[in-house]
Amino acid sequence: MPEGDTVYRTAKNLDAALRGDTLTRCDIRVPAFATVDLTGDTVESVVSRGKHLLIRVGEHSIHSHLKMEGSWHLYRHGTKWRRPAWQARAILETDDWVAVGFELGVLDVVARDDESSVVGYLGPDLLGPDWDADEALRRLTADPSRAVGLALLDQRVMAGLGNVYRNELCFLRGILPTRPVEDVDRPERLVDLAQRLIDANKDRVERTTTGSLRGETAWVYRREGKPCLRCGTRIEHGELGDTALELRDVYWCPRCQS
């Protein structure tokens, strides 16, 4: 699933192409909003909110979440799409650009003043202009017995972190994902590192947590059985989730993390 930095870049690119222009075509291909037509309205802005994306058009917002398979593409008129047309869930055109949302996991249209109905539950946005570290810390520590690896993925705590960052943050802070939040030494450092790490990657196509853009770009994520880049111990793998249906992969070094 794309993480907050990917959605941030998507919003930034869409905003640069569409902001201030008038829609010449609006085709929303989901049943609940198939009759919505914002043709003739002006694109005010495109912003990310955690892993959510809001295209603000006139008095409405087109809200999407990429989930596992979704993506937004930009094309010049007449150029070939990189994905098949049957996967398109939204097509927005201006005089200069065609923006296509493919296989969007969530797509709806809400009134601009009702955006809170779709993103209001989110915690502080790690890449937002209103980032609030104190509020993020309060939410992180609100349930002391919860596993830190679960809290980090909870978008109500901090909006934007996904499984890559969950695993890498736990390694960098030397803690197992299963450790209770109450046993995390100086949790404010974890919040600070989360923001600094995702911010450092927000304008990169290739994400890195090791500082290298060549070779190993992650410390533990998807490195099961490989030697730890710090101590050489084999990286281990398991699953962690609030329920059996929400299990996600976790990776850790049994020597560097405790």
Side-chain angles (χ1 to χ4, degrees), residues 126 165 168-173 187-199:
L126 286 149
Y165 283 113
E168 296 296 283
L169 284 166
C170 285
F171 174 82
L172 288 167
R173 291 296 296 144
E188 66 275 9
R189 290 188 174 183
L190 184 60
V191 171
D192 177 68
L193 181 60
Q195 198 280 327
R196 288 191 291 112
L197 195 60
I198 196 170
D199 185 70

Side-chain angles (χ1 to χ4, degrees), residues 89 141 167 192 199 210 218:
R89 298 293 178 265
T141 57
N167 283 282
D192 177 68
D199 185 70
T210 61

Side-chain angles (χ1 to χ4, degrees), residues 60 138 140 216 236-237:
H60 294 83
R138 185 191 70 78
L140 179 67
E216 298 289 1
E236 297 189 6
H237 167 260

Side-chain angles (χ1 to χ4, degrees), residues 148-164:
V148 67
L150 295 178
L152 287 173
L153 274 192
D154 190 339
Q155 300 303 294
R156 296 168 298 180
V157 174
M158 288 181 282
L161 296 181
N163 203 32
V164 177

Side-chain angles (χ1 to χ4, degrees), residues 174-233:
I175 53 180
L176 289 171
T178 52
R179 185 192 290 192
V181 171
E182 62 188 344
D183 292 340
V184 174
D185 182 47
R186 301 194 66 178
E188 66 275 9
R189 290 188 174 183
L190 184 60
V191 171
D192 177 68
L193 181 60
Q195 198 280 327
R196 288 191 291 112
L197 195 60
I198 196 170
D199 185 70
N201 281 292
K202 68 182 181 182
D203 292 315
R204 292 186 181 129
V205 176
E206 297 295 332
R207 180 186 300 120
T208 179
T209 58
T210 61
S212 174
L213 293 174
R214 296 181 179 180
E216 298 289 1
T217 58
W219 293 99
V220 293
Y221 184 71
R222 289 187 174 175
R223 298 194 67 251
E224 176 187 6
K226 295 182 179 180
C228 174
L229 299 176
R230 281 184 176 169
C231 72
T233 304

